[in-house]
Amino acid sequence: MLLSFDKVSSYYGATQILRNVSFDLEQGQCLCVLGRNGVGKTTIMRTIMGLTDRTTGSITMGDEAIANKPPYQRAGYGIGYVPQGRGILADFTVRENILLGTFARKDSAPEIPELCLRIFPYLRENLDRRAGLLSGGQKQQLAIARALAVGPQVLLLDEPTEGIQPNIVHEIGEILRMLNKELGISLILTEQHIKVARKLGDAFLMVDNGRVVARGPIDEMTDELVERHMTI
């Protein structure tokens, strides 16, 4: 198993958000984490990266226990992260933003991987453009490129299609499919678009009030489950 959670609880201060969450991510799998806003989806991603205040339970990457390791070490195990809101540094150039991802590489190569520029031609043509001037879709491309610069085995994407035009949603979906199915990078993504989840996902995790309430192969994510746990 590539990544495993075993009875993981996670806290911000004294407030518990995740409650005994367990799941496994297999090599080459795309796992979609779904649920209403505010139920703990983002906290799952932040817990994987070590960005909450406290966790209990076991988190392993391959054979390595990582629950007590700082975020930079977790990135060094091959975990790339595209946070909700993208986390782009507006005053940095496109080039500088992507290069930030290389700091976590085990080979410490201070160069932009060719993959990042091959799949996002706009970024290649605008490396010296200030990132704050990019559109929402271009910033998402940049955030994905920065995460890929880590050289990840696992790519975490928190709401990757949020606030993006429909044509760009399709484009990013195709790129994620290529990264997953052709290059073998495992994906965990939180999603509100059910069509995107069903198109990309191999498996799903439905979350409600910090707990896993359903999980399984993506074809077992029924309309009834979606209506029960995702409609307002």
Side-chain angles (χ1 to χ4, degrees), residues 74-94:
R74 300 189 194 201
Y77 281 100
I79 305 176
Y81 180 39
V82 181
Q84 189 175 28
R86 305 176 185 109
I88 295 302
L89 298 181
D91 291 333
F92 281 35
T93 65
V94 168

